[in-house]
Amino acid sequence: MNQILDLLIFLIPIYIANSSPVVLGGGAPLDLDNTLPDGERILGNGKTVRGFVAGTLAGTFAGGLVSLVYLLPFFPSPLIQFTAAFFLSFGTMTGDALGSFMKRRMHVGSGRPFVLDTIMFLIVALVFVVPFASAALYQPLNLLFFLILTLILHPLTNYLANKAGLKSVPW
Ligand code: CTP
Ligand code: MG
């Protein structure tokens, strides 16, 4: 396993991208209100264009700031690390939307808790950054660390966001 600090810093764009739409999202839904033949929305009202764009930008910005001051061992240069921050953030938002797509196909309502909420964004973000990151990132112990941390942090931050009045439900 790599240094825990490096792994935590690596996760910054992912977590910023994933959490900022709760505050910055709203407006037109990504699926433009469209429904599939199964009777369910493509993605639902929980995935908005503004949330998707804001999450991608916020995560990229956070990762950009990090790349100015700290070069992670997984990237050869600050510029590539910055580029990776974009793909991590974009991947996070894509994975989040993909999770909603799968939830709707299984008739799980928007805003209902589901296991995919916790891991889909992480998986897609890690896949999107494959072209930029060294193989060292994908060591099994690192992946296990990401998984366990996310399984703890995601419910915890959702609970706190609910207590702080940012989310109507504690998940
Ligand atoms: N959000 C958004 N746009 C996105 C992602 C999230 O506007 N692309 C906002 C929405 O207000 C959403 C909130 O962030 O309700 C919480 O996001 P999330 O828990 O991912 O969505 P859910 O409402 O739970 O919907 P789903 O069941 O589809 O995951
Ligand atoms: Mg949710």
Side-chain angles (χ1 to χ4, degrees):
M1 184 156 97
N2 288 84
Q3 300 272 328
I4 299 247
L5 185 65
D6 288 337
L7 297 180
L8 291 174
I9 291 173
F10 170 83
L11 290 170
I12 288 174
I14 298 179
Y15 283 155
I16 296 280
N18 187 250
S19 56
S20 50
V22 177
V23 185
L24 304 174
L30 261 180
D31 65 7
L32 301 174
D33 254 318
N34 285 296
T35 299
L36 288 187
D38 61 7
E40 300 282 353
R41 288 280 295 278
I42 300 177
L43 301 174
N45 284 335
K47 305 294 119 131
T48 67
V49 178
R50 201 169 78 209
F52 191 99
V53 173
T56 304
L57 291 180
T60 307
F61 181 73
L65 290 182
V66 170
S67 67
L68 290 177
V69 294
Y70 189 76
L71 181 62
L72 287 163
F74 318 115
F75 304 109
S77 75
L79 185 61
I80 291 178
Q81 185 173 314
F82 175 54
T83 310
F86 167 76
F87 281 96
L88 282 174
S89 308
F90 182 51
T92 295
M93 298 318 300
T94 304
D96 179 55
L98 186 62
S100 292
F101 178 83
M102 294 165 81
K103 279 170 81 173
R104 298 300 90 82
R105 303 292 72 74
M106 291 182 257
H107 304 284
V108 180
S110 271
R112 301 298 307 159
F114 198 61
V115 62
L116 288 175
D117 290 337
T118 333
I119 49 165
M120 212 55 209
F121 67 94
L122 175 69
I123 294 172
V124 176
L126 287 172
V127 169
F128 272 32
V129 88
V130 164
F132 307 97
S134 70
L137 176 67
Y138 298 92
Q139 290 169 39
L141 275 181
N142 289 353
L143 300 179
L144 190 66
F145 176 80
F146 291 153
L147 183 67
I148 291 173
L149 193 73
T150 300
L151 287 175
I152 296 170
L153 276 186
H154 196 259
L156 185 69
T157 50
N158 280 333
Y159 174 79
L160 293 177
N162 171 253
K163 285 279 161 241
L166 297 173
K167 275 190 88 153
S168 57
V169 288
W171 49 74

